[in-house]
Amino acid sequence: MSEGRLTRRGALSASIAAIASSQVPSALAQPRIGRALPREFNLVLEHSTFNVTGRARPAMSINGQIPGPVLRFREGEEVIINAANKLRESASIHWHGLILPSGQDGVPGISDGFQGIPAGTTHQYRFPLVQSGTYWYHSHSGVQEQAGIYAPLIIDPLRPDPYAHDRDYIVQLSDWTDENPERIISNLKRDPGYYNYNKRTLASLIQELRAAPDATARSAIIADRRMWGDMRMDPTDIEDVGGYTYLVNGRPPERNFTAVYRPGETVRLRFINSGAMSHFDVRIPGAEMTVVQAHGNNVRPVTVDEFRIAPAETYDVLVRPVGGKQYQILAETIGRQGFASASLATQEGLPMLPLPPHRPRPVLTMADMGGPYGPTGLDRGTPLPETDRPGQVAPPMDMSGMDHSSMAGTSHSAHGAAPAGPPQGSTAAAVDHANMPGMDHSAMVSPQNSGAQPQQGRRQRPQGGRSQPASALDHAAMGHGMPAPAQAMNHAAMGHGAPAPAQGVDHAAMGHGSMPASDPFTNDVGAPPGARVLSYRHLRALSNPYPVRQPNRVIEVRLTGNMERYIWSINGNRLSEAQPIILNYGERVRMRFINETMMNHPMHLHGVWMQPQVGNGSENPLLHVVNVKPGTTLDVDVEADAEGGWGFHCHLLYHMEAGMMRKVEIRRPARVASAP
């Protein structure tokens, strides 16, 4: 991965002009294998040690490497991959984003006939390659991905790429912890705020009050703190897990991976987010990026200054550095907990440039809690009617006393940071919590916790974390949630938030004033005004194998959970409790994601493409992951053209492990026997 791949030379402008004739890989495409024998590859999964922070720690590796070896294939060929499991536990390999038979997809207990690779055995995968682009592969067993079993996978196209470039580099982002990943789950179960090192404290309250311009502002600050405290929620809990060291191709910033270029060359950077729990905001100060591929599929070129990449997403960009200087590739986590960084430079071995100060960290607002919530009554795709598990979904919210008229333009950004890049379009007006006399949060007492004692467990300081002053508010005792009577807002059951309404709901008619629905596509990365920030709306597929048509049905996919108990679920049911979602082969379904939580959820559906409905018609992009923002509703269309069992889950590893996963079965309709 440290070596640039020399390819065709050509100017970036010529690259963009050539794209019109490109093809997009399709689930419908037939492999062109010919008579060539399959190529064979050998992978060994084994226990290793890995030294990132100055001490060797237990890890898991592929062929002794973290990340594992690059697998580079060619579209149309057939491959055989022998995965030898030398671990002391069952393992697996999933080929993320590839269109292949279900039995080769590598998800134990879900992929057809696959139960994992027992310790001490070798499993053979064999499948044709019907697509091209940038992908990756990783374990789908327990927390092995976090421990080091992940690697890049590149499929070169049969036809030349529609854009010219001189060098080709993989930039694989990941998050490393010295802590045992199993212990991370235990810590989150015990205290969901265990890794939130940005909690608001008494000291920070004093600082805010001192900085307030007048008494009215100070009253609003106090009212805001009281509201969040009464709800037992923390608006700074953006990412569940902190204390990570962030890596590029397995290297921390001080080891500075360098992509070498010559002045005048066009460099292709293949960004892969293999972070277990981390979204990254990516920028290259002083250089613009042209996005030419998303999730392995070619898109119409779009030039941006910055983009957000969710876990499991891939974006290919072209960069044309000038002047022979060293450029910094910065990937800052959305919780502003650290950077993964690398360099574009004319030679290897240059020291890393100093990392810039972090941008202001985001703070959740009432806009991220969405509007009216609860079941919408749509088809859930299950064979039998489904019942929400108690404690994982919220009861109807009584908002009659809330004055939302002053909440227009609430912002997810930190402390008034300006919206970034077209087509942002949202205002940055702050929520005036002082003008919410109808919200009596003091009455929101948990019936099941009313007599509970505060938790006394103290957290240890993980590697890279920051300890809190003694004056800090005890959010651990608050449990990060607010179980409530039926007439109140149950934020604990919602997993940090309330669901958003379906798009187009008239809030004024519902007595909610002018409270706006949060834009599901805008990414407020804290960039300066006028910066061009990528969103799904900018992605236009060069070609689409699926005709534009109305879906056969809409399937409700509510993202739910209970943050207080660290349970995550889909439609109020964890994987262990849930029925499969059944799709009929050949139908088009519209999956309506309703995020009832105050966390981002990158949702991944194996085996088929998802097309977010961004308003681009036949050019809506084809993605294998869609990031669903807090308190928003997002529609994606799916062509059910791949038979078998498929995984469907949040790609935040600990959310998936805590239950936010389903099995999707695509079946051919049963034939009706004719009468004799």
Side-chain angles (χ1 to χ4, degrees):
M1 282 181 287
S2 60
E3 181 178 341
R5 180 181 172 89
L6 293 177
T7 60
R8 305 181 313 283
R9 298 183 60 87
L12 183 57
S13 58
S15 307
I16 295 173
I19 287 186
S21 61
S22 160
Q23 297 294 316
V24 173
S26 160
L28 301 177
Q30 296 299 314
R32 295 169 58 184
I33 300 170
R35 296 183 179 179
L37 293 175
R39 284 200 295 154
E40 197 161 346
F41 301 82
N42 296 312
L43 302 177
V44 178
L45 314 181
E46 56 192 338
H47 294 284
S48 302
T49 58
F50 195 40
N51 189 335
V52 171
T53 61
R55 55 178 184 163
R57 301 297 297 162
M60 297 178 182
S61 64
I62 308 174
N63 293 9
Q65 302 174 220
I66 300 177
V70 180
L71 292 182
R72 194 140 199 161
F73 304 141
R74 185 165 181 80
E75 181 185 6
E77 70 177 336
E78 185 177 19
V79 295
I80 294 174
I81 303 168
N82 301 308
N85 179 12
K86 294 188 177 181
L87 301 172
R88 294 184 292 272
E89 60 190 63
S90 182
S92 61
I93 292 291
H94 164 58
W95 316 99
H96 184 99
L98 296 198
I99 302 300
L100 39 62
S102 170
Q104 305 301 313
D105 193 48
V107 184
I110 289 183
S111 301
D112 290 355
F114 181 72
Q115 298 300 325
I117 310 172
T121 68
T122 297
H123 180 80
Q124 186 174 90
Y125 295 89
R126 181 169 182 161
F127 50 85
L129 299 164
V130 300
Q131 64 204 103
S132 62
T134 301
Y135 303 95
W136 63 299
Y137 63 102
H138 60 85
S139 173
H140 222 292
S141 298
V143 290
Q144 293 172 3
E145 176 195 320
Q146 174 82 89
I149 299 183
Y150 63 92
L153 190 159
I154 309 299
I155 305 174
D156 292 316
L158 278 173
R159 292 188 244 182
D161 279 325
Y163 36 80
H165 55 278
D166 304 285
R167 296 181 186 264
D168 184 336
Y169 291 98
I170 295 166
V171 182
Q172 189 159 28
L173 308 170
S174 61
D175 42 29
W176 168 260
T177 175
D178 279 356
E179 199 168 9
N180 183 332
E182 296 286 356
R183 183 174 177 82
I184 290 177
I185 293 179
S186 298
N187 291 337
L188 290 168
K189 285 287 188 181
R190 184 170 69 251
D191 172 11
Y194 189 95
Y195 296 99
N196 182 10
Y197 307 120
N198 291 319
K199 287 181 178 180
R200 300 200 298 185
T201 64
L202 179 59
S204 66
L205 173 60
I206 293 172
Q207 291 176 348
E208 289 181 40
L209 291 173
R210 286 176 176 171
D214 51 39
T216 301
R218 287 190 290 273
S219 296
I221 290 169
I222 292 172
D224 177 77
R225 285 293 186 101
R226 182 179 295 116
M227 181 192 72
W228 289 102
D230 287 343
M231 291 191 299
R232 296 176 180 172
M233 297 166 62
D234 194 334
T236 67
D237 196 358
I238 307 299
E239 297 170 303
D240 278 357
V241 182
Y244 280 127
T245 302
Y246 301 99
L247 311 180
V248 171
N249 298 341
R251 300 188 191 186
E254 56 271 17
R255 288 176 50 200
N256 196 36
F257 169 80
T258 302
V260 176
Y261 75 94
R262 293 175 182 169
E265 290 183 329
T266 297
V267 180
R268 178 179 187 166
L269 300 177
R270 301 175 182 264
F271 286 92
I272 305 169
N273 186 356
S274 298
M277 294 294 288
S278 304
H279 293 66
F280 293 96
D281 292 333
V282 178
R283 65 189 191 268
I284 305 176
E288 62 183 21
M289 299 175 284
T290 299
V291 179
V292 293
Q293 193 180 96
H295 300 209
N297 293 322
N298 290 324
V299 296
R300 296 191 182 279
V302 54
T303 300
V304 300
D305 299 303
E306 194 160 345
F307 63 89
R308 175 165 291 174
I309 185 168
E313 289 192 304
T314 68
Y315 288 106
D316 287 28
V317 306
L318 301 182
V319 181
R320 190 156 189 180
V322 296
K325 67 177 184 177
Q326 182 179 4
Y327 292 83
Q328 205 169 31
I329 303 171
L330 294 172
E332 185 177 18
T333 67
I334 63 170
R336 307 309 184 227
Q337 300 192 67
F339 288 94
S341 74
S343 289
L344 269 172
T346 56
Q347 65 182 74
E348 287 269 14
L350 296 178
M352 64 175 284
L353 296 170
L355 292 173
H358 282 297
R359 290 175 175 174
R361 57 182 170 85
V363 176
L364 297 168
T365 71
M366 291 294 290
D368 300 297
M369 294 167 60
Y373 51 88
T376 63
L378 297 177
D379 178 10
R380 295 189 182 181
T382 53
L384 299 173
E386 207 171 44
T387 301
D388 297 333
R389 295 281 173 165
Q392 293 184 39
V393 294
M397 179 167 58
D398 181 6
M399 304 177 73
S400 58
M402 296 175 63
D403 178 12
H404 293 292
S405 60
S406 62
M407 297 180 66
T410 51
S411 174
H412 182 75
S413 63
H415 307 298
Q424 305 289 355
S426 61
T427 62
V431 179
D432 183 6
H433 295 295
N435 293 329
M436 293 184 176
M439 291 183 67
D440 182 8
H441 294 285
S442 63
M444 296 179 181
V445 180
S446 164
Q448 59 265 49
N449 288 348
S450 57
Q453 296 300 313
Q455 300 177 22
Q456 299 300 323
R458 293 292 90 200
R459 70 191 53 173
Q460 300 298 314
R461 184 183 179 188
Q463 179 71 28
R466 294 186 294 278
S467 58
Q468 295 295 314
S471 59
L473 297 175
D474 188 1
H475 293 280
M478 295 177 180
H480 272 247
M482 190 196 67
Q487 69 273 17
M489 297 166 63
N490 186 342
H491 295 285
M494 295 190 297
H496 272 247
Q503 293 166 337
V505 172
D506 183 357
H507 293 283
M510 302 175 71
H512 296 157
S514 57
M515 181 179 179
S518 182
D519 184 347
F521 303 115
T522 300
N523 292 316
D524 188 352
V525 299
R532 297 162 294 182
V533 179
L534 185 72
S535 85
Y536 290 153
R537 286 195 183 97
H538 294 113
L539 301 177
R540 291 180 172 271
L542 285 182
S543 64
N544 190 332
Y546 305 113
V548 175
R549 63 185 177 113
Q550 289 299 310
N552 298 84
R553 55 184 171 139
V554 177
I555 291 182
E556 173 186 328
V557 183
R558 291 165 45 249
L559 307 180
T560 50
N562 186 322
M563 186 65 172
E564 188 175 33
R565 296 168 56 197
Y566 207 76
I567 292 172
W568 296 97
S569 54
I570 294 175
N571 287 333
N573 289 272
R574 293 172 290 179
L575 174 64
S576 60
E577 307 158 344
Q579 304 172 69
I581 297 172
I582 307 298
L583 307 184
N584 297 316
Y585 183 81
E587 73 172 333
R588 170 173 290 192
V589 298
R590 176 161 295 170
M591 289 188 161
R592 176 156 294 161
F593 291 102
I594 305 171
N595 188 350
E596 300 187 2
T597 82
M598 292 182 76
M599 304 291 290
N600 284 272
H601 296 293
M603 300 302 296
H604 174 38
L605 176 57
H606 296 212
V608 294
W609 296 112
M610 294 187 287
Q611 300 179 71
Q613 297 302 292
V614 297
N616 294 336
S618 63
E619 294 185 335
N620 282 335
L622 283 76
L623 308 179
H624 49 63
V625 171
V626 291
N627 188 58
V628 188
K629 292 171 53 179
T632 63
T633 293
L634 173 62
D635 286 344
V636 303
D637 281 8
V638 172
E639 291 283 341
D641 59 358
E643 288 185 83
W646 303 104
F648 178 40
H649 59 91
C650 176
H651 223 288
L652 294 178
L653 180 62
Y654 299 111
H655 288 192
M656 181 178 70
E657 284 297 293
M660 191 173 273
M661 184 172 184
R662 284 290 180 96
K663 179 179 182 178
V664 169
E665 293 183 13
I666 300 180
R667 303 174 178 172
R668 290 186 183 270
R671 293 183 178 179
V672 179
S674 58

